[in-house]
Amino acid sequence: MNIFSFLNYYYLGSLSWLNELYNTLPLILYTIIAVVGGAGTVYAIILGINLAKSESDDARKTAQNRIKNTIIGIVVLLALVLFITLAIPEILHAIYPDLVVNDVTNV
C-alpha cells in the first residue's frame, strides 16, 4: 500500500489536462530539487570555507550573508515543491469536488 495513495487524484472535465501534468511533474520537480539542492550544498560548503579563511570583518559579513541567502533559497525551493505536489491537488479537490476524484475505479 502506498502511503501517498490519498494523493492519487484523477481529474475530470475541464481539469483533465492535469492528469498528464501530475504524471510528469514529480519527475521534473525531483530532478530540480536534486540539481539545485546539490549545487546549493556545494556552494554553501565553499562559502563556509571562504568564511573560515576570511581575514577581514567585511569579508566575513559578506560570506555570512551569502550562506544565509543560499540556505533560504534551498528552503524556499523545497517549500515550493512540496506546495506544488501536495497542497495544490488538495486545494483543487476542495474547490472542484465533482471534477477531482480520488478513487479511479468509480470513474
Side-chain angles (χ1 to χ4, degrees):
M1 179 177 182
N2 186 359
I3 61 171
F4 295 112
S5 61
F6 66 94
L7 294 175
N8 293 330
Y9 287 121
Y10 186 76
Y11 301 95
L12 305 171
S14 62
L15 297 177
S16 63
W17 61 274
L18 288 172
N19 291 321
E20 188 171 331
L21 178 72
Y22 270 101
N23 286 335
T24 308
L25 193 63
L27 176 65
I28 295 168
L29 291 176
Y30 298 147
T31 303
I32 290 171
I33 285 177
V35 171
V36 174
T41 303
V42 169
Y43 186 60
I45 291 170
I46 291 170
L47 289 174
I49 292 170
N50 288 343
L51 177 64
K53 290 171 49 177
S54 62
E55 296 178 5
S56 68
D57 287 338
D58 189 40
R60 274 188 218 103
K61 190 172 281 193
T62 302
Q64 286 174 343
N65 286 335
R66 286 184 180 176
I67 289 172
K68 179 182 71 172
N69 291 340
T70 301
I71 292 171
I72 289 171
I74 292 171
V75 169
V76 167
L77 173 73
L78 290 174
L80 286 173
V81 168
L82 285 175
F83 179 76
I84 290 170
T85 58
L86 300 177
I88 289 180
E90 293 294 327
I91 292 169
L92 288 173
H93 182 61
I95 294 172
Y96 304 107
D98 296 335
L99 296 178
V100 182
V101 293
N102 195 3
D103 190 8
V104 180
T105 58
N106 291 335
V107 177

